[in-house]
Amino acid sequence: MRGIFGAPTMMPSLPDNGIKILVADDSLMNQRMLAIFLRKEGHTVLVAGDGAEAVEAHRREHPDLVLMDIVMPVMDGLEAARRIKAETGDNRTPILFLTGMHDRRTMLEGLELGEDFITKPIDVVILGAKLRAFIRLVQVQRMLRLQQQRIELLNGEMQHENEVAAFVLGRVLAQTEPPDGRSLQYRVVPSALFSGDLILARRTPSGRLN
């Protein structure tokens, strides 16, 4: 795509069906099982062995979705989710907790920090069903972000082209002999979109106004 003055506009590309998923679990067996399952579904998989690694991986890689074990060494999943939420603010990443715990306090705190629970031992059928729902949500959110980027890009290009047009018109008017006010009256007003049309007035050597 090119702008009014021929400069190419780089538009953000649409996302494919796969998303980037961070798996945080201290069990190597769970890491491998989830990674194999998710990659077969067409997703990019990152792994972390504890909550601190998960926070750092999230900060560095910006995943679209996090599968977070709750009981982990160094930093548990709830604290890791709390830190991720604090860092991302309104642009929070959806978090699904992986846990065998069922106490009420943990469940309530987890639902405040994340979106849902997946109980252990992990049932890949249930996991797949829940992931599909959240993946659709992630893809819609990513599409909306890309559309917002496109709007901002086009608005920036339009603003730039308006500034160029105003500069060109100003130079033309500055170099043009002012016409006889009794014969021609004119007014310059800003426009939301520059169409490229110009009206020029100048007297010929014989004094005729063109």
PDB file of all heavy atoms in Angstrom, residues 44-81:
ATOM      1  N   THR A  44       3.381 -22.099  19.467  1.00  0.00           N
ATOM      2  CA  THR A  44       4.756 -21.946  19.926  1.00  0.00           C
ATOM      3  C   THR A  44       4.773 -22.102  21.435  1.00  0.00           C
ATOM      4  O   THR A  44       3.962 -21.480  22.134  1.00  0.00           O
ATOM      5  CB  THR A  44       5.305 -20.567  19.532  1.00  0.00           C
ATOM      6  OG1 THR A  44       5.250 -20.427  18.112  1.00  0.00           O
ATOM      7  CG2 THR A  44       6.745 -20.401  20.007  1.00  0.00           C
ATOM      8  N   VAL A  45       5.697 -22.908  21.954  1.00  0.00           N
ATOM      9  CA  VAL A  45       5.699 -23.232  23.378  1.00  0.00           C
ATOM     10  C   VAL A  45       6.994 -22.768  24.029  1.00  0.00           C
ATOM     11  O   VAL A  45       8.092 -23.020  23.518  1.00  0.00           O
ATOM     12  CB  VAL A  45       5.524 -24.750  23.607  1.00  0.00           C
ATOM     13  CG1 VAL A  45       5.512 -25.068  25.100  1.00  0.00           C
ATOM     14  CG2 VAL A  45       4.233 -25.238  22.952  1.00  0.00           C
ATOM     15  N   LEU A  46       6.858 -22.083  25.159  1.00  0.00           N
ATOM     16  CA  LEU A  46       7.975 -21.714  26.023  1.00  0.00           C
ATOM     17  C   LEU A  46       7.793 -22.446  27.345  1.00  0.00           C
ATOM     18  O   LEU A  46       6.660 -22.694  27.761  1.00  0.00           O
ATOM     19  CB  LEU A  46       7.980 -20.197  26.277  1.00  0.00           C
ATOM     20  CG  LEU A  46       7.823 -19.290  25.060  1.00  0.00           C
ATOM     21  CD1 LEU A  46       7.559 -17.862  25.515  1.00  0.00           C
ATOM     22  CD2 LEU A  46       9.062 -19.356  24.198  1.00  0.00           C
ATOM     23  N   VAL A  47       8.887 -22.798  28.010  1.00  0.00           N
ATOM     24  CA  VAL A  47       8.774 -23.531  29.268  1.00  0.00           C
ATOM     25  C   VAL A  47       9.556 -22.814  30.364  1.00  0.00           C
ATOM     26  O   VAL A  47      10.575 -22.169  30.108  1.00  0.00           O
ATOM     27  CB  VAL A  47       9.262 -24.988  29.132  1.00  0.00           C
ATOM     28  CG1 VAL A  47       8.365 -25.771  28.188  1.00  0.00           C
ATOM     29  CG2 VAL A  47      10.708 -25.050  28.676  1.00  0.00           C
ATOM     30  N   ALA A  48       9.045 -22.942  31.590  1.00  0.00           N
ATOM     31  CA  ALA A  48       9.718 -22.408  32.771  1.00  0.00           C
ATOM     32  C   ALA A  48       9.562 -23.425  33.892  1.00  0.00           C
ATOM     33  O   ALA A  48       8.518 -24.074  34.016  1.00  0.00           O
ATOM     34  CB  ALA A  48       9.109 -21.064  33.180  1.00  0.00           C
ATOM     35  N   GLY A  49      10.623 -23.569  34.727  1.00  0.00           N
ATOM     36  CA  GLY A  49      10.626 -24.579  35.772  1.00  0.00           C
ATOM     37  C   GLY A  49      10.158 -24.093  37.123  1.00  0.00           C
ATOM     38  O   GLY A  49       9.974 -24.903  38.041  1.00  0.00           O
ATOM     39  N   ASP A  50       9.978 -22.791  37.300  1.00  0.00           N
ATOM     40  CA  ASP A  50       9.462 -22.250  38.557  1.00  0.00           C
ATOM     41  C   ASP A  50       8.840 -20.883  38.294  1.00  0.00           C
ATOM     42  O   ASP A  50       8.893 -20.362  37.178  1.00  0.00           O
ATOM     43  CB  ASP A  50      10.569 -22.156  39.621  1.00  0.00           C
ATOM     44  CG  ASP A  50      11.740 -21.291  39.166  1.00  0.00           C
ATOM     45  OD1 ASP A  50      11.529 -20.101  38.866  1.00  0.00           O
ATOM     46  OD2 ASP A  50      12.882 -21.813  39.119  1.00  0.00           O
ATOM     47  N   GLY A  51       8.259 -20.297  39.332  1.00  0.00           N
ATOM     48  CA  GLY A  51       7.554 -19.027  39.161  1.00  0.00           C
ATOM     49  C   GLY A  51       8.451 -17.875  38.751  1.00  0.00           C
ATOM     50  O   GLY A  51       8.068 -17.044  37.927  1.00  0.00           O
ATOM     51  N   ALA A  52       9.673 -17.842  39.298  1.00  0.00           N
ATOM     52  CA  ALA A  52      10.593 -16.762  38.950  1.00  0.00           C
ATOM     53  C   ALA A  52      10.977 -16.838  37.470  1.00  0.00           C
ATOM     54  O   ALA A  52      11.029 -15.816  36.772  1.00  0.00           O
ATOM     55  CB  ALA A  52      11.848 -16.831  39.830  1.00  0.00           C
ATOM     56  N   GLU A  53      11.235 -18.061  36.986  1.00  0.00           N
ATOM     57  CA  GLU A  53      11.539 -18.230  35.559  1.00  0.00           C
ATOM     58  C   GLU A  53      10.344 -17.829  34.698  1.00  0.00           C
ATOM     59  O   GLU A  53      10.502 -17.264  33.618  1.00  0.00           O
ATOM     60  CB  GLU A  53      11.918 -19.680  35.273  1.00  0.00           C
ATOM     61  CG  GLU A  53      13.288 -20.093  35.804  1.00  0.00           C
ATOM     62  CD  GLU A  53      13.632 -21.523  35.409  1.00  0.00           C
ATOM     63  OE1 GLU A  53      12.868 -22.127  34.621  1.00  0.00           O
ATOM     64  OE2 GLU A  53      14.656 -22.027  35.890  1.00  0.00           O
ATOM     65  N   ALA A  54       9.144 -18.124  35.193  1.00  0.00           N
ATOM     66  CA  ALA A  54       7.930 -17.778  34.441  1.00  0.00           C
ATOM     67  C   ALA A  54       7.789 -16.264  34.308  1.00  0.00           C
ATOM     68  O   ALA A  54       7.454 -15.756  33.229  1.00  0.00           O
ATOM     69  CB  ALA A  54       6.702 -18.365  35.131  1.00  0.00           C
ATOM     70  N   VAL A  55       8.035 -15.538  35.393  1.00  0.00           N
ATOM     71  CA  VAL A  55       7.944 -14.069  35.349  1.00  0.00           C
ATOM     72  C   VAL A  55       8.960 -13.508  34.363  1.00  0.00           C
ATOM     73  O   VAL A  55       8.648 -12.629  33.551  1.00  0.00           O
ATOM     74  CB  VAL A  55       8.149 -13.470  36.756  1.00  0.00           C
ATOM     75  CG1 VAL A  55       8.218 -11.942  36.681  1.00  0.00           C
ATOM     76  CG2 VAL A  55       7.021 -13.899  37.687  1.00  0.00           C
ATOM     77  N   GLU A  56      10.184 -14.020  34.422  1.00  0.00           N
ATOM     78  CA  GLU A  56      11.233 -13.535  33.526  1.00  0.00           C
ATOM     79  C   GLU A  56      10.916 -13.887  32.071  1.00  0.00           C
ATOM     80  O   GLU A  56      11.100 -13.061  31.164  1.00  0.00           O
ATOM     81  CB  GLU A  56      12.577 -14.140  33.925  1.00  0.00           C
ATOM     82  CG  GLU A  56      13.731 -13.745  33.022  1.00  0.00           C
ATOM     83  CD  GLU A  56      13.947 -12.241  32.942  1.00  0.00           C
ATOM     84  OE1 GLU A  56      13.670 -11.549  33.954  1.00  0.00           O
ATOM     85  OE2 GLU A  56      14.373 -11.750  31.878  1.00  0.00           O
ATOM     86  N   ALA A  57      10.431 -15.123  31.829  1.00  0.00           N
ATOM     87  CA  ALA A  57      10.089 -15.527  30.468  1.00  0.00           C
ATOM     88  C   ALA A  57       8.938 -14.688  29.927  1.00  0.00           C
ATOM     89  O   ALA A  57       8.926 -14.308  28.754  1.00  0.00           O
ATOM     90  CB  ALA A  57       9.714 -17.007  30.437  1.00  0.00           C
ATOM     91  N   HIS A  58       7.973 -14.390  30.776  1.00  0.00           N
ATOM     92  CA  HIS A  58       6.850 -13.546  30.343  1.00  0.00           C
ATOM     93  C   HIS A  58       7.330 -12.145  30.000  1.00  0.00           C
ATOM     94  O   HIS A  58       6.917 -11.558  28.995  1.00  0.00           O
ATOM     95  CB  HIS A  58       5.794 -13.487  31.440  1.00  0.00           C
ATOM     96  CG  HIS A  58       4.563 -12.720  31.053  1.00  0.00           C
ATOM     97  ND1 HIS A  58       4.497 -11.341  31.135  1.00  0.00           N
ATOM     98  CD2 HIS A  58       3.369 -13.125  30.543  1.00  0.00           C
ATOM     99  CE1 HIS A  58       3.319 -10.947  30.715  1.00  0.00           C
ATOM    100  NE2 HIS A  58       2.613 -11.992  30.349  1.00  0.00           N
ATOM    101  N   ARG A  59       8.218 -11.605  30.811  1.00  0.00           N
ATOM    102  CA  ARG A  59       8.745 -10.261  30.574  1.00  0.00           C
ATOM    103  C   ARG A  59       9.556 -10.209  29.281  1.00  0.00           C
ATOM    104  O   ARG A  59       9.506  -9.223  28.540  1.00  0.00           O
ATOM    105  CB  ARG A  59       9.627  -9.850  31.757  1.00  0.00           C
ATOM    106  CG  ARG A  59      10.145  -8.409  31.692  1.00  0.00           C
ATOM    107  CD  ARG A  59      11.063  -8.135  32.876  1.00  0.00           C
ATOM    108  NE  ARG A  59      10.357  -8.244  34.133  1.00  0.00           N
ATOM    109  CZ  ARG A  59      10.758  -9.019  35.154  1.00  0.00           C
ATOM    110  NH1 ARG A  59      11.854  -9.764  35.034  1.00  0.00           N
ATOM    111  NH2 ARG A  59      10.065  -9.063  36.275  1.00  0.00           N
ATOM    112  N   ARG A  60      10.254 -11.281  28.977  1.00  0.00           N
ATOM    113  CA  ARG A  60      11.140 -11.306  27.812  1.00  0.00           C
ATOM    114  C   ARG A  60      10.409 -11.686  26.533  1.00  0.00           C
ATOM    115  O   ARG A  60      10.670 -11.119  25.474  1.00  0.00           O
ATOM    116  CB  ARG A  60      12.271 -12.308  28.072  1.00  0.00           C
ATOM    117  CG  ARG A  60      13.322 -12.391  26.967  1.00  0.00           C
ATOM    118  CD  ARG A  60      14.400 -13.388  27.309  1.00  0.00           C
ATOM    119  NE  ARG A  60      13.904 -14.753  27.434  1.00  0.00           N
ATOM    120  CZ  ARG A  60      13.765 -15.408  28.585  1.00  0.00           C
ATOM    121  NH1 ARG A  60      14.107 -14.826  29.728  1.00  0.00           N
ATOM    122  NH2 ARG A  60      13.291 -16.645  28.612  1.00  0.00           N
ATOM    123  N   GLU A  61       9.468 -12.632  26.599  1.00  0.00           N
ATOM    124  CA  GLU A  61       8.871 -13.212  25.397  1.00  0.00           C
ATOM    125  C   GLU A  61       7.447 -12.736  25.106  1.00  0.00           C
ATOM    126  O   GLU A  61       6.947 -12.935  24.007  1.00  0.00           O
ATOM    127  CB  GLU A  61       8.864 -14.746  25.512  1.00  0.00           C
ATOM    128  CG  GLU A  61      10.244 -15.354  25.658  1.00  0.00           C
ATOM    129  CD  GLU A  61      11.077 -15.221  24.396  1.00  0.00           C
ATOM    130  OE1 GLU A  61      10.504 -14.950  23.334  1.00  0.00           O
ATOM    131  OE2 GLU A  61      12.310 -15.382  24.485  1.00  0.00           O
ATOM    132  N   HIS A  62       6.771 -12.157  26.090  1.00  0.00           N
ATOM    133  CA  HIS A  62       5.393 -11.658  25.912  1.00  0.00           C
ATOM    134  C   HIS A  62       4.471 -12.725  25.304  1.00  0.00           C
ATOM    135  O   HIS A  62       3.939 -12.551  24.208  1.00  0.00           O
ATOM    136  CB  HIS A  62       5.392 -10.406  25.026  1.00  0.00           C
ATOM    137  CG  HIS A  62       6.308  -9.328  25.497  1.00  0.00           C
ATOM    138  ND1 HIS A  62       6.079  -8.595  26.639  1.00  0.00           N
ATOM    139  CD2 HIS A  62       7.488  -8.877  24.991  1.00  0.00           C
ATOM    140  CE1 HIS A  62       7.048  -7.723  26.811  1.00  0.00           C
ATOM    141  NE2 HIS A  62       7.922  -7.882  25.833  1.00  0.00           N
ATOM    142  N   PRO A  63       4.254 -13.833  25.998  1.00  0.00           N
ATOM    143  CA  PRO A  63       3.386 -14.882  25.470  1.00  0.00           C
ATOM    144  C   PRO A  63       1.928 -14.428  25.415  1.00  0.00           C
ATOM    145  O   PRO A  63       1.533 -13.466  26.080  1.00  0.00           O
ATOM    146  CB  PRO A  63       3.571 -16.030  26.472  1.00  0.00           C
ATOM    147  CG  PRO A  63       3.920 -15.340  27.755  1.00  0.00           C
ATOM    148  CD  PRO A  63       4.764 -14.164  27.358  1.00  0.00           C
ATOM    149  N   ASP A  64       1.134 -15.143  24.620  1.00  0.00           N
ATOM    150  CA  ASP A  64      -0.289 -14.834  24.502  1.00  0.00           C
ATOM    151  C   ASP A  64      -1.108 -15.506  25.603  1.00  0.00           C
ATOM    152  O   ASP A  64      -2.220 -15.058  25.914  1.00  0.00           O
ATOM    153  CB  ASP A  64      -0.814 -15.302  23.141  1.00  0.00           C
ATOM    154  CG  ASP A  64      -0.102 -14.610  21.996  1.00  0.00           C
ATOM    155  OD1 ASP A  64      -0.154 -13.371  21.936  1.00  0.00           O
ATOM    156  OD2 ASP A  64       0.511 -15.303  21.163  1.00  0.00           O
ATOM    157  N   LEU A  65      -0.583 -16.587  26.176  1.00  0.00           N
ATOM    158  CA  LEU A  65      -1.313 -17.363  27.175  1.00  0.00           C
ATOM    159  C   LEU A  65      -0.305 -18.052  28.084  1.00  0.00           C
ATOM    160  O   LEU A  65       0.777 -18.434  27.639  1.00  0.00           O
ATOM    161  CB  LEU A  65      -2.201 -18.409  26.474  1.00  0.00           C
ATOM    162  CG  LEU A  65      -3.062 -19.323  27.343  1.00  0.00           C
ATOM    163  CD1 LEU A  65      -4.168 -18.534  28.043  1.00  0.00           C
ATOM    164  CD2 LEU A  65      -3.680 -20.433  26.491  1.00  0.00           C
ATOM    165  N   VAL A  66      -0.662 -18.198  29.372  1.00  0.00           N
ATOM    166  CA  VAL A  66       0.228 -18.862  30.337  1.00  0.00           C
ATOM    167  C   VAL A  66      -0.510 -20.016  30.998  1.00  0.00           C
ATOM    168  O   VAL A  66      -1.638 -19.867  31.473  1.00  0.00           O
ATOM    169  CB  VAL A  66       0.703 -17.874  31.431  1.00  0.00           C
ATOM    170  CG1 VAL A  66       1.614 -18.595  32.436  1.00  0.00           C
ATOM    171  CG2 VAL A  66       1.439 -16.692  30.820  1.00  0.00           C
ATOM    172  N   LEU A  67       0.134 -21.185  30.990  1.00  0.00           N
ATOM    173  CA  LEU A  67      -0.322 -22.322  31.784  1.00  0.00           C
ATOM    174  C   LEU A  67       0.585 -22.386  33.003  1.00  0.00           C
ATOM    175  O   LEU A  67       1.778 -22.671  32.876  1.00  0.00           O
ATOM    176  CB  LEU A  67      -0.245 -23.618  30.979  1.00  0.00           C
ATOM    177  CG  LEU A  67      -1.068 -23.684  29.684  1.00  0.00           C
ATOM    178  CD1 LEU A  67      -0.912 -25.043  29.021  1.00  0.00           C
ATOM    179  CD2 LEU A  67      -2.529 -23.383  29.957  1.00  0.00           C
ATOM    180  N   MET A  68       0.021 -22.104  34.184  1.00  0.00           N
ATOM    181  CA  MET A  68       0.830 -21.871  35.375  1.00  0.00           C
ATOM    182  C   MET A  68       0.525 -22.884  36.471  1.00  0.00           C
ATOM    183  O   MET A  68      -0.598 -22.947  36.988  1.00  0.00           O
ATOM    184  CB  MET A  68       0.559 -20.460  35.912  1.00  0.00           C
ATOM    185  CG  MET A  68       1.382 -20.078  37.133  1.00  0.00           C
ATOM    186  SD  MET A  68       3.040 -19.511  36.706  1.00  0.00           S
ATOM    187  CE  MET A  68       2.658 -17.866  36.077  1.00  0.00           C
ATOM    188  N   ASP A  69       1.514 -23.701  36.809  1.00  0.00           N
ATOM    189  CA  ASP A  69       1.396 -24.579  37.976  1.00  0.00           C
ATOM    190  C   ASP A  69       1.383 -23.703  39.229  1.00  0.00           C
ATOM    191  O   ASP A  69       2.013 -22.635  39.257  1.00  0.00           O
ATOM    192  CB  ASP A  69       2.567 -25.556  38.005  1.00  0.00           C
ATOM    193  CG  ASP A  69       2.406 -26.609  39.085  1.00  0.00           C
ATOM    194  OD1 ASP A  69       1.269 -26.810  39.558  1.00  0.00           O
ATOM    195  OD2 ASP A  69       3.415 -27.231  39.454  1.00  0.00           O
ATOM    196  N   ILE A  70       0.679 -24.134  40.253  1.00  0.00           N
ATOM    197  CA  ILE A  70       0.620 -23.323  41.477  1.00  0.00           C
ATOM    198  C   ILE A  70       1.756 -23.687  42.424  1.00  0.00           C
ATOM    199  O   ILE A  70       2.456 -22.804  42.945  1.00  0.00           O
ATOM    200  CB  ILE A  70      -0.751 -23.489  42.174  1.00  0.00           C
ATOM    201  CG1 ILE A  70      -1.835 -22.807  41.346  1.00  0.00           C
ATOM    202  CG2 ILE A  70      -0.704 -22.891  43.587  1.00  0.00           C
ATOM    203  CD1 ILE A  70      -3.220 -22.838  41.971  1.00  0.00           C
ATOM    204  N   VAL A  71       1.969 -24.955  42.680  1.00  0.00           N
ATOM    205  CA  VAL A  71       3.010 -25.377  43.628  1.00  0.00           C
ATOM    206  C   VAL A  71       4.315 -25.571  42.867  1.00  0.00           C
ATOM    207  O   VAL A  71       4.494 -26.548  42.129  1.00  0.00           O
ATOM    208  CB  VAL A  71       2.603 -26.686  44.348  1.00  0.00           C
ATOM    209  CG1 VAL A  71       3.703 -27.099  45.332  1.00  0.00           C
ATOM    210  CG2 VAL A  71       1.281 -26.512  45.063  1.00  0.00           C
ATOM    211  N   MET A  72       5.230 -24.602  43.026  1.00  0.00           N
ATOM    212  CA  MET A  72       6.544 -24.660  42.380  1.00  0.00           C
ATOM    213  C   MET A  72       7.591 -24.109  43.333  1.00  0.00           C
ATOM    214  O   MET A  72       7.271 -23.307  44.223  1.00  0.00           O
ATOM    215  CB  MET A  72       6.539 -23.832  41.080  1.00  0.00           C
ATOM    216  CG  MET A  72       5.706 -24.394  39.964  1.00  0.00           C
ATOM    217  SD  MET A  72       5.913 -23.469  38.404  1.00  0.00           S
ATOM    218  CE  MET A  72       5.118 -21.912  38.823  1.00  0.00           C
ATOM    219  N   PRO A  73       8.862 -24.516  43.163  1.00  0.00           N
ATOM    220  CA  PRO A  73       9.934 -23.975  44.009  1.00  0.00           C
ATOM    221  C   PRO A  73      10.278 -22.542  43.623  1.00  0.00           C
ATOM    222  O   PRO A  73       9.817 -22.030  42.605  1.00  0.00           O
ATOM    223  CB  PRO A  73      11.103 -24.925  43.715  1.00  0.00           C
ATOM    224  CG  PRO A  73      10.841 -25.420  42.329  1.00  0.00           C
ATOM    225  CD  PRO A  73       9.347 -25.523  42.210  1.00  0.00           C
ATOM    226  N   VAL A  74      11.087 -21.908  44.460  1.00  0.00           N
ATOM    227  CA  VAL A  74      11.591 -20.538  44.276  1.00  0.00           C
ATOM    228  C   VAL A  74      10.460 -19.518  44.390  1.00  0.00           C
ATOM    229  O   VAL A  74      10.484 -18.615  45.215  1.00  0.00           O
ATOM    230  CB  VAL A  74      12.335 -20.360  42.931  1.00  0.00           C
ATOM    231  CG1 VAL A  74      12.924 -18.949  42.827  1.00  0.00           C
ATOM    232  CG2 VAL A  74      13.419 -21.412  42.759  1.00  0.00           C
ATOM    233  N   MET A  75       9.450 -19.639  43.542  1.00  0.00           N
ATOM    234  CA  MET A  75       8.278 -18.752  43.591  1.00  0.00           C
ATOM    235  C   MET A  75       7.071 -19.546  43.122  1.00  0.00           C
ATOM    236  O   MET A  75       7.109 -20.186  42.072  1.00  0.00           O
ATOM    237  CB  MET A  75       8.484 -17.532  42.681  1.00  0.00           C
ATOM    238  CG  MET A  75       7.333 -16.544  42.679  1.00  0.00           C
ATOM    239  SD  MET A  75       7.568 -15.248  41.427  1.00  0.00           S
ATOM    240  CE  MET A  75       9.073 -14.469  42.033  1.00  0.00           C
ATOM    241  N   ASP A  76       5.989 -19.544  43.924  1.00  0.00           N
ATOM    242  CA  ASP A  76       4.814 -20.330  43.519  1.00  0.00           C
ATOM    243  C   ASP A  76       4.046 -19.629  42.400  1.00  0.00           C
ATOM    244  O   ASP A  76       4.307 -18.468  42.063  1.00  0.00           O
ATOM    245  CB  ASP A  76       3.905 -20.623  44.717  1.00  0.00           C
ATOM    246  CG  ASP A  76       3.305 -19.372  45.333  1.00  0.00           C
ATOM    247  OD1 ASP A  76       2.812 -18.502  44.581  1.00  0.00           O
ATOM    248  OD2 ASP A  76       3.307 -19.256  46.578  1.00  0.00           O
ATOM    249  N   GLY A  77       3.106 -20.346  41.818  1.00  0.00           N
ATOM    250  CA  GLY A  77       2.383 -19.834  40.669  1.00  0.00           C
ATOM    251  C   GLY A  77       1.508 -18.631  40.966  1.00  0.00           C
ATOM    252  O   GLY A  77       1.350 -17.753  40.107  1.00  0.00           O
ATOM    253  N   LEU A  78       0.932 -18.586  42.175  1.00  0.00           N
ATOM    254  CA  LEU A  78       0.088 -17.444  42.523  1.00  0.00           C
ATOM    255  C   LEU A  78       0.906 -16.160  42.598  1.00  0.00           C
ATOM    256  O   LEU A  78       0.488 -15.104  42.102  1.00  0.00           O
ATOM    257  CB  LEU A  78      -0.628 -17.705  43.846  1.00  0.00           C
ATOM    258  CG  LEU A  78      -1.669 -18.834  43.844  1.00  0.00           C
ATOM    259  CD1 LEU A  78      -2.221 -19.045  45.247  1.00  0.00           C
ATOM    260  CD2 LEU A  78      -2.791 -18.538  42.859  1.00  0.00           C
ATOM    261  N   GLU A  79       2.079 -16.230  43.219  1.00  0.00           N
ATOM    262  CA  GLU A  79       2.935 -15.050  43.308  1.00  0.00           C
ATOM    263  C   GLU A  79       3.447 -14.652  41.920  1.00  0.00           C
ATOM    264  O   GLU A  79       3.517 -13.457  41.591  1.00  0.00           O
ATOM    265  CB  GLU A  79       4.117 -15.315  44.233  1.00  0.00           C
ATOM    266  CG  GLU A  79       5.102 -14.160  44.349  1.00  0.00           C
ATOM    267  CD  GLU A  79       4.469 -12.882  44.891  1.00  0.00           C
ATOM    268  OE1 GLU A  79       3.441 -12.964  45.604  1.00  0.00           O
ATOM    269  OE2 GLU A  79       4.999 -11.790  44.609  1.00  0.00           O
ATOM    270  N   ALA A  80       3.783 -15.637  41.110  1.00  0.00           N
ATOM    271  CA  ALA A  80       4.233 -15.335  39.747  1.00  0.00           C
ATOM    272  C   ALA A  80       3.112 -14.652  38.965  1.00  0.00           C
ATOM    273  O   ALA A  80       3.346 -13.669  38.252  1.00  0.00           O
ATOM    274  CB  ALA A  80       4.663 -16.617  39.042  1.00  0.00           C
ATOM    275  N   ALA A  81       1.885 -15.152  39.097  1.00  0.00           N
ATOM    276  CA  ALA A  81       0.748 -14.536  38.410  1.00  0.00           C
ATOM    277  C   ALA A  81       0.513 -13.118  38.918  1.00  0.00           C
ATOM    278  O   ALA A  81       0.177 -12.215  38.144  1.00  0.00           O
ATOM    279  CB  ALA A  81      -0.500 -15.387  38.611  1.00  0.00           C
TER     280      ALA A  81
END
